[in-house]
Amino acid sequence: MPLLLITSCASIEKHNHQITKLHSVDELHKDVDVAYRKLQKLHPQLYLYTPKKELDAKFLALKSSITKPMTTYAFYEKLAPVVVEVRQGHAGISVPTKKYTRKENKAFNKLKNEWSYLRFENVEDAVLVKNTLGEDSTMVGSRVVKLGDDSIDDLLKRYKTYFSSDGYNTTFHNKYAAQKLARYYYQDKGRLDSLEVTFSKNDSLYTKVFRRIPRDSTRFPKQKKDSLKDKKPIKKTKEERKLASKKLKKKLENYRKYGYSYSEKNNNRNLDFIGEDSTVAYMKIRSFSRGDYEAFYEEAFKKIDSAKTKDLIIDLRDNGGGRLVEIHDLFSYLAKEEFKFVEEGEVNTRYPIIKSYMSRNKTAYGAAYKSLFVPFVFFKEVFKARKKNGKLVYKFKETKVAEPKENNYKGNVYVLINGRSFSASSVFSNVVKARKRGVIVGEETGGAYNSTVAGQTKLVRLPNSKLMLYFGLMVLETPYKSKVEGYGVKPDVTITPTLEDRKNNCDPELEWILDAINK
């Protein structure tokens, strides 16, 4: 055990030294070459939005601009904007963070960061507090003006150069930068013990200091101790214990079904009925990635059928995407006739799952362990790739023509989208719009209409800086194309919220739909 601790501490020290030291010009040039070479080898649509000649020039200019040694983070600030020029939202650079010893992490885990309970959104180029996870609701609607001494406008301008949407879309950037504000700030500044933030609300400025405080403490005064609570709890009977166990089991089943998030304190999927007679079904899907989607949709559409619902609203605003198999399953409940959901995806390797799987190793031991499963994955993949029209394509299960579900929904469908509706959300919206299966309301999606490169993600740890390059390995596209390349799914009815809407606690997109239904 002592030897293990010494080895672990040495590894942590080595990692932290590697990401904070000055890397030589030659080392950084090598990392640029490795990044571009991997993209050229494995990315199936590298030059779709930026021609090869132009992208070559950008990587060459990057190398020319590196004339002196720099740290990992300084290198990130130069490399990330160049990778962004690929204009594929699933491609980018992530920064390695400082590692801590077990003792340090144990001490940190006893604290909570007050800043971490804030959630943000961008409305009319302003960053607003959207949610406080039940902590201090008086801050909801406040506008962020400054973080420390940095103006929010300057920070967002810089942060928006570190990531990309698909193609030439611009609606994604403001939404994503606001949503990930805390992550980018701490990535930039490191782990802070306190942070002074300036807000604006009702035309008045106010400042709040957020600290790391003990997890069991609160901003609110503690209630007086109830003397009755000091009494020993009454022992439960066998029947009571059995009933409590049954309730807990049901609760955990629902957590799995609805994809409950302990950090966000909400379900990934919800179904509610709204309207005067509760005749409108409202399905909120925050992502297509967490929870037992099959059980949820089966239950949801049974309820919709029993209620004889004529109008269904599917809210995909701020849904960053997820599983192809899930959006295919959801659409099968909406389809009125047989349908083909996606085309075979272009790839640059016959084994994208293996490439993705093996690139996620953190240690040599991890790679050795995973290699035991490679033969099984190989046999799963070997028959899925083939040549078609001079390109290598990969066959998904969802490329087959499918039938609607037996209890498919036949009523009216409305889909809510915004700039943060990305990846699988854009693919799903594309199919709904192209097949005229619903009315799309809101703002252009951040994911492209014609295609997105995702499916499996390749991770490449650059040898010297230790930055992580990531990008998709498969082209996902539906049979339905737009003549205009590089933009998202455009809504049938364009509505974007305003600061006045948020001040009045209004949801203009949802209200438009409800008004249209009532009329």
Side-chain angles (χ1 to χ4, degrees):
M1 181 62 76
L3 180 61
L4 186 64
L5 288 173
I6 292 170
T7 305
S8 176
C9 289
S11 175
I12 290 170
E13 188 177 336
K14 181 180 178 181
H15 168 85
N16 292 339
H17 174 68
Q18 186 69 15
I19 65 175
T20 54
K21 75 172 188 177
L22 291 175
H23 304 287
S24 71
V25 172
D26 286 343
E27 288 175 331
L28 297 174
H29 283 184
K30 181 181 178 182
D31 278 9
V32 173
D33 290 337
V34 169
Y36 196 28
R37 189 164 61 245
K38 288 292 185 180
L39 284 168
Q40 289 173 313
K41 182 180 179 181
L42 294 172
H43 197 290
Q45 287 191 345
L46 185 60
Y47 306 114
L48 178 63
Y49 301 119
T50 304
K52 183 179 186 305
K53 186 176 180 181
E54 189 177 327
L55 200 57
D56 287 348
K58 289 182 182 296
F59 273 93
L60 186 61
L62 170 62
K63 288 179 68 174
S64 299
S65 70
I66 299 172
T67 57
K68 59 182 181 181
M70 59 182 66
T71 63
T72 290
Y73 191 78
F75 179 52
Y76 162 75
E77 291 183 302
K78 295 180 78 68
L79 177 60
V82 177
V83 174
V84 161
E85 292 299 324
V86 176
R87 297 184 180 275
Q88 296 279 2
H90 292 87
I93 299 288
S94 63
V95 187
T97 55
K98 182 182 176 181
K99 288 184 178 180
Y100 296 89
T101 63
R102 184 179 297 179
K103 184 178 179 181
E104 288 171 327
N105 279 323
K106 190 175 180 180
F108 277 127
N109 289 335
K110 291 180 180 178
L111 304 174
K112 65 178 180 180
N113 187 350
E114 294 178 303
W115 170 252
S116 67
Y117 64 70
L118 299 185
R119 298 294 179 268
F120 306 97
E121 67 171 336
N122 185 292
V123 178
E124 292 189 310
D125 293 329
V127 176
L128 304 182
V129 177
K130 182 180 181 180
N131 193 357
T132 58
L133 302 185
E135 290 287 337
D136 184 358
S137 59
T138 61
M139 295 186 63
V140 173
S142 296
R143 180 173 182 168
V144 183
V145 179
K146 290 173 67 178
L147 299 185
D149 295 324
D150 299 303
S151 85
I152 192 67
D153 292 337
D154 290 342
L155 289 173
L156 292 186
K157 185 178 179 181
R158 180 152 54 92
Y159 295 161
K160 284 190 282 189
T161 66
Y162 298 159
F163 63 87
S164 174
S165 62
D166 283 344
Y168 314 111
N169 164 280
T170 57
T171 60
F172 179 77
H173 289 80
N174 286 339
K175 299 286 184 187
Y176 189 79
Q179 189 182 47
K180 301 296 182 181
L181 174 63
R183 188 188 86 178
Y184 279 112
Y185 190 75
Y186 280 111
Q187 179 179 285
D188 187 4
K189 305 295 182 181
R191 188 180 278 183
L192 303 175
D193 291 327
S194 66
L195 173 63
E196 184 177 278
V197 183
T198 305
F199 296 96
S200 170
K201 191 172 185 180
N202 299 327
D203 300 322
S204 298
L205 289 175
Y206 71 95
T207 300
K208 204 172 186 74
V209 178
F210 298 88
R211 296 182 173 86
R212 293 185 184 276
I213 59 175
R215 286 194 176 277
D216 57 355
S217 64
T218 175
R219 284 180 176 273
F220 306 103
K222 291 184 178 180
Q223 300 295 321
K224 288 184 179 180
K225 201 172 184 181
D226 189 346
S227 59
L228 294 176
K229 290 183 179 179
D230 292 336
K231 294 182 179 180
K232 290 183 179 180
I234 301 171
K235 190 174 182 180
K236 292 180 180 179
T237 65
K238 185 178 180 180
E239 281 299 314
E240 286 174 329
R241 290 198 304 273
K242 192 175 179 181
L243 183 62
S245 177
K246 193 174 180 181
K247 282 184 177 179
L248 177 60
K249 186 178 179 182
K250 181 65 176 174
K251 183 179 180 180
L252 294 176
E253 282 178 359
N254 285 336
Y255 273 14
R256 283 192 293 271
K257 184 193 307 177
Y258 303 128
Y260 183 77
S261 169
Y262 289 91
S263 61
E264 298 302 309
K265 299 180 182 178
N266 59 27
N267 290 327
N268 194 31
R269 301 172 195 80
N270 287 98
L271 176 69
D272 296 297
F273 290 89
I274 56 179
E276 291 182 8
D277 302 316
S278 298
T279 53
V280 179
Y282 173 76
M283 188 181 290
K284 174 65 179 176
I285 309 172
R286 292 178 170 84
S287 81
F288 292 113
S289 58
R290 188 174 61 250
D292 186 352
Y293 68 90
E294 289 178 299
F296 172 80
Y297 294 131
E298 183 179 359
E299 176 189 82
F301 282 97
K302 279 181 180 177
K303 289 181 178 179
I304 289 170
D305 185 56
S306 298
K308 300 189 186 308
T309 302
K310 294 182 180 179
D311 299 282
L312 168 62
I313 301 169
I314 300 176
D315 191 344
L316 300 183
R317 290 175 295 182
D318 300 321
N319 183 318
R323 299 173 286 205
L324 174 61
V325 64
E326 179 173 345
I327 56 175
H328 182 274
D329 188 64
L330 174 56
F331 188 77
S332 67
Y333 282 100
L334 305 179
K336 292 183 176 180
E337 60 273 321
E338 65 177 24
F339 64 96
K340 184 178 182 181
F341 199 72
V342 292
E343 300 283 15
E344 293 175 315
E346 183 184 347
V347 291
N348 272 6
T349 171
R350 288 184 175 273
Y351 312 107
I353 295 178
I354 292 176
K355 291 284 185 184
S356 173
Y357 181 67
M358 293 304 294
S359 70
R360 296 174 181 274
N361 302 310
K362 291 186 176 180
T363 64
Y365 300 109
Y369 178 75
K370 281 189 173 183
S371 65
L372 298 175
F373 299 95
V374 168
F376 301 100
V377 182
F378 172 81
F379 284 114
K380 184 180 178 181
E381 284 202 280
V382 71
F383 300 111
K384 289 193 173 185
R386 66 187 181 92
K387 284 284 187 177
K388 182 180 178 182
N389 299 327
K391 294 180 179 179
L392 186 64
V393 295
Y394 192 89
K395 187 177 181 181
F396 306 108
K397 184 176 71 173
E398 294 75 21
T399 58
K400 296 178 181 178
V401 174
E403 296 287 338
K405 298 280 187 181
E406 287 184 11
N407 61 328
N408 64 320
Y409 173 72
K410 299 176 180 65
N412 303 317
V413 177
Y414 300 85
V415 178
L416 284 164
I417 57 172
N418 66 6
R420 185 66 181 97
S421 302
F422 185 70
S423 192
S425 294
S426 297
V427 175
F428 178 82
S429 302
N430 166 307
V431 178
V432 170
K433 184 179 177 73
R435 295 187 69 90
K436 303 187 188 307
R437 188 56 191 96
V439 179
I440 311 290
V441 180
E443 180 185 46
E444 177 192 348
T445 62
Y449 187 101
N450 284 350
S451 68
T452 187
V453 179
Q456 296 292 327
T457 301
K458 173 68 176 177
L459 304 178
V460 180
R461 180 77 69 186
L462 301 184
N464 299 297
S465 63
K466 302 305 177 184
L467 292 176
M468 183 71 82
L469 167 69
Y470 59 89
F471 55 92
L473 294 172
M474 301 171 168
V475 176
L476 294 181
E477 56 185 348
T478 74
Y480 320 106
K481 299 291 185 295
S482 167
K483 291 181 181 178
V484 182
E485 184 69 80
Y487 290 91
V489 178
K490 301 287 180 71
D492 300 306
V493 180
T494 301
I495 301 174
T496 52
T498 64
L499 290 171
E500 191 66 22
D501 290 326
R502 290 297 182 257
K503 186 176 180 181
N504 297 323
N505 199 28
C506 289
D507 186 337
E509 304 102 301
L510 181 58
E511 288 179 4
W512 183 92
I513 294 174
L514 295 176
D515 188 48
I517 290 171
N518 290 332
K519 286 179 180 178

